[in-house]
Structures are given as C-alpha cells and as structure tokens.
Amino acid sequence: MTNAPGNGWPGSPPPQGPGTPPPWGTPPWPPSGQGNPPSPGNPGAGPSYPGPGQAPATPPYQASYGQQPPPGSGQPGQTPGFDPRQALGAQPPAHVSIDQFTPPPNRTPLLVTLAALITLVLVIGGGIYVRSQPEGAPSASPSPSSTVAAGPGQPFNTPDERQKGRWEILDSSWTDEGLQLQLRLYSDGGSISFTFLAFSNASTEVVSPTSSPRSPDIRKGIVYNSEPVTGYVFFPMSRADATIILATGTGRQMSALPVKG
C-alpha cells in the first residue's frame, strides 16, 4: 500500500515543507539517510544527526543540560549527584548520648571500705602476733627507793596540784572557852603555807583560830619537806561535833578532819 504524503501513517519521512504534521509529533531523529531538519531560527540548518555509518553525536538533551540521563533511564525525579541515603540541607547534629552527662563515679565509699578492711587486717594480725608470743616474765616489783613510803596523817594536795602533804590531829580537848587542838603537818615536796578554820556541824558559821594558851601556836605558818610542823591551835566555839579545815595561806581549802564534841 502506498502512503501518500501528509496522510499521517508511519513509514515515510515527515514532509520537508509546510504541511500537516503527523499526529505523533516531530521525531527526535530523522530517519536514516535524511539530513538535519531545519530549526525555527535557522530554516536551512538544524541539529546535526549522523548519517549512515557514522557514530551518533551528542544527543540534544546532553548539549543543553549537561551529562543528564535520557528520559526513562535511572530513577525518576533524581538529580545528578543526589544520594537518597543523605538528608537534604545542613548536616545532622552529632549523636549525643546521655552517658556524656553522667557525673564521674564517687570513689569515696570504695576508699572508706578499703581503709576499714586494712584496719581490720591490722587488728587481726596484731592480735595473732600477741597471742603467738610467749608469756613474759612477771615485772619486777619496784625497789624501795622508787616508792615513797606513806607517812602518818591525812593526805592533801595544794589547789594547784603542785604540792602535796599530810596532816593529823594529835590531841583535842574542850574547855569552857573553846576547842584546843595539837596538830602536826608534813610536806612531801617543797614548801606549803597553811592556816586553819573550823565550824560546828550544827551550824554554818566559820570560826577562825585565836591565840592559843599553849605553845607553840601554829595558827598559820609554812611547812617544809625537811621538817614537819607540830603545835597548838585554839578555836573559840561551843562544844559540839565540829570540822577542822586545813587551808592555804590565802584561805583556800586543802583538806578537812572531824572532831567529836
């Protein structure tokens, strides 16, 4: 069957002049053996198409848009250099883990535990060592020269604890005027100043000594380590159970002894 020009059937080249274009449009390449079709800007020239036996030239879409794949090749809607595995825009922030904000571990309980274990080991080791040692010989008793023999009388210390001594009542007698006492004082080291006071157990009135009818009168004085002091003290007071106070030269109490009425 012969195809007449302009009848719209395939198999014949498109018309080169004015006429009705085929319904499928202008093909991108002319049939083999045809020349370059005219372009609207240059009727006499158009895109260069290879002739028979020639390598195809760069397709028109590559000349206009660079190295792009032809329509229908590759993935649709994909631009050159696009990686679907990468996010668009700025790079995503670095991964942050909650462990980065965890405070450093507190080692104080561990150190305390270690110290307690070391102390326990030392205590156990010390106990084992002591038990493994043979019982030592009994300690020698102190020599007589290293022990101060306790003398007679009631011990006392000075208020500053620097001196100590002893004192005793050798004799006591009541008269119509008061109480007569014979006393003796000792110093175990250094010198000690002294005086005396008395009060009846039935009252709180303190009585100071007066001149004694017997001598030596030792109402106040100083006792030395080298020699004791012995003498008499008289208290003007009514007969009753009483308490005699040994005081310092300034009146601070050091000791006390009772006397029957």
mmCIF file with all atom_site columns, all heavy atoms in Angstrom, residues 1-26:
data_model
loop_
_atom_site.group_PDB
_atom_site.id
_atom_site.type_symbol
_atom_site.label_atom_id
_atom_site.label_alt_id
_atom_site.label_comp_id
_atom_site.label_asym_id
_atom_site.label_entity_id
_atom_site.label_seq_id
_atom_site.pdbx_PDB_ins_code
_atom_site.Cartn_x
_atom_site.Cartn_y
_atom_site.Cartn_z
_atom_site.occupancy
_atom_site.B_iso_or_equiv
_atom_site.pdbx_formal_charge
_atom_site.auth_seq_id
_atom_site.auth_comp_id
_atom_site.auth_asym_id
_atom_site.auth_atom_id
_atom_site.pdbx_PDB_model_num
ATOM 1   N N   . MET A 1 1  ? 0.869  -1.187 0.000  1.00 0.00 ? 1  MET A N   1
ATOM 2   C CA  . MET A 1 1  ? 0.000  0.000  0.000  1.00 0.00 ? 1  MET A CA  1
ATOM 3   C C   . MET A 1 1  ? 0.887  1.212  0.000  1.00 0.00 ? 1  MET A C   1
ATOM 4   O O   . MET A 1 1  ? 1.885  1.263  0.703  1.00 0.00 ? 1  MET A O   1
ATOM 5   C CB  . MET A 1 1  ? -0.900 -0.008 1.244  1.00 0.00 ? 1  MET A CB  1
ATOM 6   C CG  . MET A 1 1  ? -1.787 1.187  1.337  1.00 0.00 ? 1  MET A CG  1
ATOM 7   S SD  . MET A 1 1  ? -2.903 1.044  2.786  1.00 0.00 ? 1  MET A SD  1
ATOM 8   C CE  . MET A 1 1  ? -1.744 0.894  4.062  1.00 0.00 ? 1  MET A CE  1
ATOM 9   N N   . THR A 1 2  ? 0.577  2.154  -0.764 1.00 0.00 ? 2  THR A N   1
ATOM 10  C CA  . THR A 1 2  ? 1.389  3.368  -0.893 1.00 0.00 ? 2  THR A CA  1
ATOM 11  C C   . THR A 1 2  ? 0.851  4.405  0.038  1.00 0.00 ? 2  THR A C   1
ATOM 12  O O   . THR A 1 2  ? -0.341 4.662  0.088  1.00 0.00 ? 2  THR A O   1
ATOM 13  C CB  . THR A 1 2  ? 1.366  3.872  -2.349 1.00 0.00 ? 2  THR A CB  1
ATOM 14  O OG1 . THR A 1 2  ? 1.777  2.821  -3.198 1.00 0.00 ? 2  THR A OG1 1
ATOM 15  C CG2 . THR A 1 2  ? 2.273  5.064  -2.485 1.00 0.00 ? 2  THR A CG2 1
ATOM 16  N N   . ASN A 1 3  ? 1.826  5.010  0.846  1.00 0.00 ? 3  ASN A N   1
ATOM 17  C CA  . ASN A 1 3  ? 1.449  6.064  1.783  1.00 0.00 ? 3  ASN A CA  1
ATOM 18  C C   . ASN A 1 3  ? 1.597  7.396  1.097  1.00 0.00 ? 3  ASN A C   1
ATOM 19  O O   . ASN A 1 3  ? 2.686  7.750  0.605  1.00 0.00 ? 3  ASN A O   1
ATOM 20  C CB  . ASN A 1 3  ? 2.323  6.037  3.023  1.00 0.00 ? 3  ASN A CB  1
ATOM 21  C CG  . ASN A 1 3  ? 2.123  4.749  3.829  1.00 0.00 ? 3  ASN A CG  1
ATOM 22  O OD1 . ASN A 1 3  ? 1.008  4.208  3.835  1.00 0.00 ? 3  ASN A OD1 1
ATOM 23  N ND2 . ASN A 1 3  ? 3.197  4.271  4.444  1.00 0.00 ? 3  ASN A ND2 1
ATOM 24  N N   . ALA A 1 4  ? 0.567  8.109  1.009  1.00 0.00 ? 4  ALA A N   1
ATOM 25  C CA  . ALA A 1 4  ? 0.622  9.436  0.415  1.00 0.00 ? 4  ALA A CA  1
ATOM 26  C C   . ALA A 1 4  ? 1.165  10.415 1.417  1.00 0.00 ? 4  ALA A C   1
ATOM 27  O O   . ALA A 1 4  ? 0.959  10.277 2.631  1.00 0.00 ? 4  ALA A O   1
ATOM 28  C CB  . ALA A 1 4  ? -0.798 9.856  -0.041 1.00 0.00 ? 4  ALA A CB  1
ATOM 29  N N   . PRO A 1 5  ? 1.909  11.421 0.952  1.00 0.00 ? 5  PRO A N   1
ATOM 30  C CA  . PRO A 1 5  ? 2.439  12.420 1.900  1.00 0.00 ? 5  PRO A CA  1
ATOM 31  C C   . PRO A 1 5  ? 1.324  13.115 2.628  1.00 0.00 ? 5  PRO A C   1
ATOM 32  O O   . PRO A 1 5  ? 0.304  13.450 2.058  1.00 0.00 ? 5  PRO A O   1
ATOM 33  C CB  . PRO A 1 5  ? 3.233  13.386 1.011  1.00 0.00 ? 5  PRO A CB  1
ATOM 34  C CG  . PRO A 1 5  ? 3.506  12.637 -0.247 1.00 0.00 ? 5  PRO A CG  1
ATOM 35  C CD  . PRO A 1 5  ? 2.396  11.667 -0.439 1.00 0.00 ? 5  PRO A CD  1
ATOM 36  N N   . GLY A 1 6  ? 1.590  13.294 3.940  1.00 0.00 ? 6  GLY A N   1
ATOM 37  C CA  . GLY A 1 6  ? 0.605  14.010 4.758  1.00 0.00 ? 6  GLY A CA  1
ATOM 38  C C   . GLY A 1 6  ? -0.531 13.163 5.185  1.00 0.00 ? 6  GLY A C   1
ATOM 39  O O   . GLY A 1 6  ? -1.491 13.690 5.720  1.00 0.00 ? 6  GLY A O   1
ATOM 40  N N   . ASN A 1 7  ? -0.520 11.836 4.911  1.00 0.00 ? 7  ASN A N   1
ATOM 41  C CA  . ASN A 1 7  ? -1.626 11.026 5.312  1.00 0.00 ? 7  ASN A CA  1
ATOM 42  C C   . ASN A 1 7  ? -1.521 10.599 6.759  1.00 0.00 ? 7  ASN A C   1
ATOM 43  O O   . ASN A 1 7  ? -2.411 9.926  7.251  1.00 0.00 ? 7  ASN A O   1
ATOM 44  C CB  . ASN A 1 7  ? -1.747 9.796  4.414  1.00 0.00 ? 7  ASN A CB  1
ATOM 45  C CG  . ASN A 1 7  ? -0.457 8.963  4.436  1.00 0.00 ? 7  ASN A CG  1
ATOM 46  O OD1 . ASN A 1 7  ? 0.456  9.267  5.194  1.00 0.00 ? 7  ASN A OD1 1
ATOM 47  N ND2 . ASN A 1 7  ? -0.414 7.937  3.596  1.00 0.00 ? 7  ASN A ND2 1
ATOM 48  N N   . GLY A 1 8  ? -0.368 10.889 7.505  1.00 0.00 ? 8  GLY A N   1
ATOM 49  C CA  . GLY A 1 8  ? -0.243 10.592 8.940  1.00 0.00 ? 8  GLY A CA  1
ATOM 50  C C   . GLY A 1 8  ? 0.133  9.180  9.242  1.00 0.00 ? 8  GLY A C   1
ATOM 51  O O   . GLY A 1 8  ? 0.098  8.763  10.380 1.00 0.00 ? 8  GLY A O   1
ATOM 52  N N   . TRP A 1 9  ? 0.440  8.346  8.309  1.00 0.00 ? 9  TRP A N   1
ATOM 53  C CA  . TRP A 1 9  ? 0.858  6.951  8.570  1.00 0.00 ? 9  TRP A CA  1
ATOM 54  C C   . TRP A 1 9  ? 2.369  6.868  8.640  1.00 0.00 ? 9  TRP A C   1
ATOM 55  O O   . TRP A 1 9  ? 3.079  7.540  7.906  1.00 0.00 ? 9  TRP A O   1
ATOM 56  C CB  . TRP A 1 9  ? 0.341  6.029  7.446  1.00 0.00 ? 9  TRP A CB  1
ATOM 57  C CG  . TRP A 1 9  ? -1.155 5.899  7.480  1.00 0.00 ? 9  TRP A CG  1
ATOM 58  C CD1 . TRP A 1 9  ? -2.078 6.591  6.782  1.00 0.00 ? 9  TRP A CD1 1
ATOM 59  C CD2 . TRP A 1 9  ? -1.840 4.986  8.281  1.00 0.00 ? 9  TRP A CD2 1
ATOM 60  N NE1 . TRP A 1 9  ? -3.318 6.210  7.073  1.00 0.00 ? 9  TRP A NE1 1
ATOM 61  C CE2 . TRP A 1 9  ? -3.211 5.182  8.042  1.00 0.00 ? 9  TRP A CE2 1
ATOM 62  C CE3 . TRP A 1 9  ? -1.466 3.990  9.227  1.00 0.00 ? 9  TRP A CE3 1
ATOM 63  C CZ2 . TRP A 1 9  ? -4.218 4.455  8.644  1.00 0.00 ? 9  TRP A CZ2 1
ATOM 64  C CZ3 . TRP A 1 9  ? -2.474 3.268  9.815  1.00 0.00 ? 9  TRP A CZ3 1
ATOM 65  C CH2 . TRP A 1 9  ? -3.834 3.504  9.549  1.00 0.00 ? 9  TRP A CH2 1
ATOM 66  N N   . PRO A 1 10 ? 2.850  5.961  9.425  1.00 0.00 ? 10 PRO A N   1
ATOM 67  C CA  . PRO A 1 10 ? 4.324  5.832  9.521  1.00 0.00 ? 10 PRO A CA  1
ATOM 68  C C   . PRO A 1 10 ? 4.871  5.132  8.308  1.00 0.00 ? 10 PRO A C   1
ATOM 69  O O   . PRO A 1 10 ? 4.158  4.457  7.575  1.00 0.00 ? 10 PRO A O   1
ATOM 70  C CB  . PRO A 1 10 ? 4.518  5.002  10.799 1.00 0.00 ? 10 PRO A CB  1
ATOM 71  C CG  . PRO A 1 10 ? 3.244  4.240  10.965 1.00 0.00 ? 10 PRO A CG  1
ATOM 72  C CD  . PRO A 1 10 ? 2.152  5.111  10.410 1.00 0.00 ? 10 PRO A CD  1
ATOM 73  N N   . GLY A 1 11 ? 6.206  5.221  8.211  1.00 0.00 ? 11 GLY A N   1
ATOM 74  C CA  . GLY A 1 11 ? 6.876  4.552  7.100  1.00 0.00 ? 11 GLY A CA  1
ATOM 75  C C   . GLY A 1 11 ? 7.438  5.509  6.134  1.00 0.00 ? 11 GLY A C   1
ATOM 76  O O   . GLY A 1 11 ? 8.213  5.140  5.249  1.00 0.00 ? 11 GLY A O   1
ATOM 77  N N   . SER A 1 12 ? 7.100  6.745  6.159  1.00 0.00 ? 12 SER A N   1
ATOM 78  C CA  . SER A 1 12 ? 7.621  7.742  5.228  1.00 0.00 ? 12 SER A CA  1
ATOM 79  C C   . SER A 1 12 ? 8.148  8.915  6.020  1.00 0.00 ? 12 SER A C   1
ATOM 80  O O   . SER A 1 12 ? 7.681  9.199  7.117  1.00 0.00 ? 12 SER A O   1
ATOM 81  C CB  . SER A 1 12 ? 6.523  8.196  4.262  1.00 0.00 ? 12 SER A CB  1
ATOM 82  O OG  . SER A 1 12 ? 5.462  8.780  4.976  1.00 0.00 ? 12 SER A OG  1
ATOM 83  N N   . PRO A 1 13 ? 9.148  9.605  5.542  1.00 0.00 ? 13 PRO A N   1
ATOM 84  C CA  . PRO A 1 13 ? 9.707  10.763 6.262  1.00 0.00 ? 13 PRO A CA  1
ATOM 85  C C   . PRO A 1 13 ? 8.702  11.870 6.370  1.00 0.00 ? 13 PRO A C   1
ATOM 86  O O   . PRO A 1 13 ? 7.789  11.966 5.558  1.00 0.00 ? 13 PRO A O   1
ATOM 87  C CB  . PRO A 1 13 ? 10.920 11.147 5.410  1.00 0.00 ? 13 PRO A CB  1
ATOM 88  C CG  . PRO A 1 13 ? 10.641 10.637 4.055  1.00 0.00 ? 13 PRO A CG  1
ATOM 89  C CD  . PRO A 1 13 ? 9.833  9.378  4.213  1.00 0.00 ? 13 PRO A CD  1
ATOM 90  N N   . PRO A 1 14 ? 8.853  12.688 7.408  1.00 0.00 ? 14 PRO A N   1
ATOM 91  C CA  . PRO A 1 14 ? 7.943  13.815 7.540  1.00 0.00 ? 14 PRO A CA  1
ATOM 92  C C   . PRO A 1 14 ? 8.136  14.787 6.407  1.00 0.00 ? 14 PRO A C   1
ATOM 93  O O   . PRO A 1 14 ? 9.208  14.853 5.789  1.00 0.00 ? 14 PRO A O   1
ATOM 94  C CB  . PRO A 1 14 ? 8.330  14.429 8.892  1.00 0.00 ? 14 PRO A CB  1
ATOM 95  C CG  . PRO A 1 14 ? 9.734  14.036 9.109  1.00 0.00 ? 14 PRO A CG  1
ATOM 96  C CD  . PRO A 1 14 ? 9.893  12.694 8.452  1.00 0.00 ? 14 PRO A CD  1
ATOM 97  N N   . PRO A 1 15 ? 7.159  15.512 6.085  1.00 0.00 ? 15 PRO A N   1
ATOM 98  C CA  . PRO A 1 15 ? 7.277  16.489 4.967  1.00 0.00 ? 15 PRO A CA  1
ATOM 99  C C   . PRO A 1 15 ? 8.285  17.551 5.310  1.00 0.00 ? 15 PRO A C   1
ATOM 100 O O   . PRO A 1 15 ? 8.457  17.938 6.467  1.00 0.00 ? 15 PRO A O   1
ATOM 101 C CB  . PRO A 1 15 ? 5.858  17.055 4.850  1.00 0.00 ? 15 PRO A CB  1
ATOM 102 C CG  . PRO A 1 15 ? 5.233  16.824 6.192  1.00 0.00 ? 15 PRO A CG  1
ATOM 103 C CD  . PRO A 1 15 ? 5.826  15.545 6.690  1.00 0.00 ? 15 PRO A CD  1
ATOM 104 N N   . GLN A 1 16 ? 9.032  17.996 4.299  1.00 0.00 ? 16 GLN A N   1
ATOM 105 C CA  . GLN A 1 16 ? 10.067 18.993 4.459  1.00 0.00 ? 16 GLN A CA  1
ATOM 106 C C   . GLN A 1 16 ? 9.561  20.389 4.305  1.00 0.00 ? 16 GLN A C   1
ATOM 107 O O   . GLN A 1 16 ? 10.287 21.345 4.441  1.00 0.00 ? 16 GLN A O   1
ATOM 108 C CB  . GLN A 1 16 ? 11.196 18.744 3.439  1.00 0.00 ? 16 GLN A CB  1
ATOM 109 C CG  . GLN A 1 16 ? 11.860 17.386 3.570  1.00 0.00 ? 16 GLN A CG  1
ATOM 110 C CD  . GLN A 1 16 ? 12.541 17.216 4.889  1.00 0.00 ? 16 GLN A CD  1
ATOM 111 O OE1 . GLN A 1 16 ? 13.125 18.163 5.389  1.00 0.00 ? 16 GLN A OE1 1
ATOM 112 N NE2 . GLN A 1 16 ? 12.436 16.003 5.457  1.00 0.00 ? 16 GLN A NE2 1
ATOM 113 N N   . GLY A 1 17 ? 8.393  20.567 3.976  1.00 0.00 ? 17 GLY A N   1
ATOM 114 C CA  . GLY A 1 17 ? 7.832  21.896 3.775  1.00 0.00 ? 17 GLY A CA  1
ATOM 115 C C   . GLY A 1 17 ? 6.578  22.052 4.572  1.00 0.00 ? 17 GLY A C   1
ATOM 116 O O   . GLY A 1 17 ? 6.252  21.234 5.432  1.00 0.00 ? 17 GLY A O   1
ATOM 117 N N   . PRO A 1 18 ? 5.852  23.096 4.290  1.00 0.00 ? 18 PRO A N   1
ATOM 118 C CA  . PRO A 1 18 ? 4.603  23.303 5.014  1.00 0.00 ? 18 PRO A CA  1
ATOM 119 C C   . PRO A 1 18 ? 3.654  22.162 4.743  1.00 0.00 ? 18 PRO A C   1
ATOM 120 O O   . PRO A 1 18 ? 3.596  21.618 3.666  1.00 0.00 ? 18 PRO A O   1
ATOM 121 C CB  . PRO A 1 18 ? 4.066  24.628 4.480  1.00 0.00 ? 18 PRO A CB  1
ATOM 122 C CG  . PRO A 1 18 ? 5.247  25.288 3.839  1.00 0.00 ? 18 PRO A CG  1
ATOM 123 C CD  . PRO A 1 18 ? 6.142  24.204 3.355  1.00 0.00 ? 18 PRO A CD  1
ATOM 124 N N   . GLY A 1 19 ? 2.996  21.763 5.713  1.00 0.00 ? 19 GLY A N   1
ATOM 125 C CA  . GLY A 1 19 ? 2.049  20.683 5.605  1.00 0.00 ? 19 GLY A CA  1
ATOM 126 C C   . GLY A 1 19 ? 1.534  20.311 6.976  1.00 0.00 ? 19 GLY A C   1
ATOM 127 O O   . GLY A 1 19 ? 1.940  20.884 7.999  1.00 0.00 ? 19 GLY A O   1
ATOM 128 N N   . THR A 1 20 ? 0.694  19.353 7.048  1.00 0.00 ? 20 THR A N   1
ATOM 129 C CA  . THR A 1 20 ? 0.115  18.947 8.341  1.00 0.00 ? 20 THR A CA  1
ATOM 130 C C   . THR A 1 20 ? 1.077  18.022 9.057  1.00 0.00 ? 20 THR A C   1
ATOM 131 O O   . THR A 1 20 ? 1.494  17.004 8.474  1.00 0.00 ? 20 THR A O   1
ATOM 132 C CB  . THR A 1 20 ? -1.213 18.234 8.111  1.00 0.00 ? 20 THR A CB  1
ATOM 133 O OG1 . THR A 1 20 ? -2.071 19.111 7.399  1.00 0.00 ? 20 THR A OG1 1
ATOM 134 C CG2 . THR A 1 20 ? -1.846 17.844 9.444  1.00 0.00 ? 20 THR A CG2 1
ATOM 135 N N   . PRO A 1 21 ? 1.520  18.350 10.298 1.00 0.00 ? 21 PRO A N   1
ATOM 136 C CA  . PRO A 1 21 ? 2.473  17.470 10.997 1.00 0.00 ? 21 PRO A CA  1
ATOM 137 C C   . PRO A 1 21 ? 1.784  16.183 11.382 1.00 0.00 ? 21 PRO A C   1
ATOM 138 O O   . PRO A 1 21 ? 0.583  16.122 11.523 1.00 0.00 ? 21 PRO A O   1
ATOM 139 C CB  . PRO A 1 21 ? 2.881  18.264 12.233 1.00 0.00 ? 21 PRO A CB  1
ATOM 140 C CG  . PRO A 1 21 ? 1.760  19.208 12.477 1.00 0.00 ? 21 PRO A CG  1
ATOM 141 C CD  . PRO A 1 21 ? 1.166  19.510 11.131 1.00 0.00 ? 21 PRO A CD  1
ATOM 142 N N   . PRO A 1 22 ? 2.530  15.124 11.494 1.00 0.00 ? 22 PRO A N   1
ATOM 143 C CA  . PRO A 1 22 ? 1.935  13.847 11.881 1.00 0.00 ? 22 PRO A CA  1
ATOM 144 C C   . PRO A 1 22 ? 1.396  13.941 13.306 1.00 0.00 ? 22 PRO A C   1
ATOM 145 O O   . PRO A 1 22 ? 1.840  14.760 14.108 1.00 0.00 ? 22 PRO A O   1
ATOM 146 C CB  . PRO A 1 22 ? 3.099  12.853 11.787 1.00 0.00 ? 22 PRO A CB  1
ATOM 147 C CG  . PRO A 1 22 ? 4.324  13.685 11.948 1.00 0.00 ? 22 PRO A CG  1
ATOM 148 C CD  . PRO A 1 22 ? 3.984  15.004 11.322 1.00 0.00 ? 22 PRO A CD  1
ATOM 149 N N   . PRO A 1 23 ? 0.428  13.087 13.636 1.00 0.00 ? 23 PRO A N   1
ATOM 150 C CA  . PRO A 1 23 ? -0.177 13.184 14.972 1.00 0.00 ? 23 PRO A CA  1
ATOM 151 C C   . PRO A 1 23 ? 0.782  12.825 16.106 1.00 0.00 ? 23 PRO A C   1
ATOM 152 O O   . PRO A 1 23 ? 0.594  13.224 17.209 1.00 0.00 ? 23 PRO A O   1
ATOM 153 C CB  . PRO A 1 23 ? -1.335 12.174 14.880 1.00 0.00 ? 23 PRO A CB  1
ATOM 154 C CG  . PRO A 1 23 ? -0.941 11.230 13.791 1.00 0.00 ? 23 PRO A CG  1
ATOM 155 C CD  . PRO A 1 23 ? -0.199 12.045 12.788 1.00 0.00 ? 23 PRO A CD  1
ATOM 156 N N   . TRP A 1 24 ? 1.829  12.063 15.863 1.00 0.00 ? 24 TRP A N   1
ATOM 157 C CA  . TRP A 1 24 ? 2.758  11.718 16.966 1.00 0.00 ? 24 TRP A CA  1
ATOM 158 C C   . TRP A 1 24 ? 3.852  12.727 17.182 1.00 0.00 ? 24 TRP A C   1
ATOM 159 O O   . TRP A 1 24 ? 4.720  12.564 18.007 1.00 0.00 ? 24 TRP A O   1
ATOM 160 C CB  . TRP A 1 24 ? 3.418  10.348 16.670 1.00 0.00 ? 24 TRP A CB  1
ATOM 161 C CG  . TRP A 1 24 ? 4.155  10.303 15.332 1.00 0.00 ? 24 TRP A CG  1
ATOM 162 C CD1 . TRP A 1 24 ? 5.387  10.707 15.054 1.00 0.00 ? 24 TRP A CD1 1
ATOM 163 C CD2 . TRP A 1 24 ? 3.632  9.822  14.131 1.00 0.00 ? 24 TRP A CD2 1
ATOM 164 N NE1 . TRP A 1 24 ? 5.719  10.501 13.769 1.00 0.00 ? 24 TRP A NE1 1
ATOM 165 C CE2 . TRP A 1 24 ? 4.622  9.936  13.148 1.00 0.00 ? 24 TRP A CE2 1
ATOM 166 C CE3 . TRP A 1 24 ? 2.388  9.268  13.762 1.00 0.00 ? 24 TRP A CE3 1
ATOM 167 C CZ2 . TRP A 1 24 ? 4.425  9.551  11.817 1.00 0.00 ? 24 TRP A CZ2 1
ATOM 168 C CZ3 . TRP A 1 24 ? 2.233  8.873  12.450 1.00 0.00 ? 24 TRP A CZ3 1
ATOM 169 C CH2 . TRP A 1 24 ? 3.229  9.019  11.464 1.00 0.00 ? 24 TRP A CH2 1
ATOM 170 N N   . GLY A 1 25 ? 3.864  13.841 16.424 1.00 0.00 ? 25 GLY A N   1
ATOM 171 C CA  . GLY A 1 25 ? 4.849  14.904 16.627 1.00 0.00 ? 25 GLY A CA  1
ATOM 172 C C   . GLY A 1 25 ? 6.087  14.656 15.826 1.00 0.00 ? 25 GLY A C   1
ATOM 173 O O   . GLY A 1 25 ? 6.201  13.701 15.063 1.00 0.00 ? 25 GLY A O   1
ATOM 174 N N   . THR A 1 26 ? 7.033  15.581 15.998 1.00 0.00 ? 26 THR A N   1
ATOM 175 C CA  . THR A 1 26 ? 8.283  15.518 15.241 1.00 0.00 ? 26 THR A CA  1
ATOM 176 C C   . THR A 1 26 ? 9.218  14.551 15.921 1.00 0.00 ? 26 THR A C   1
ATOM 177 O O   . THR A 1 26 ? 9.472  14.679 17.131 1.00 0.00 ? 26 THR A O   1
ATOM 178 C CB  . THR A 1 26 ? 8.942  16.893 15.156 1.00 0.00 ? 26 THR A CB  1
ATOM 179 O OG1 . THR A 1 26 ? 8.013  17.782 14.578 1.00 0.00 ? 26 THR A OG1 1
ATOM 180 C CG2 . THR A 1 26 ? 10.199 16.854 14.317 1.00 0.00 ? 26 THR A CG2 1
#
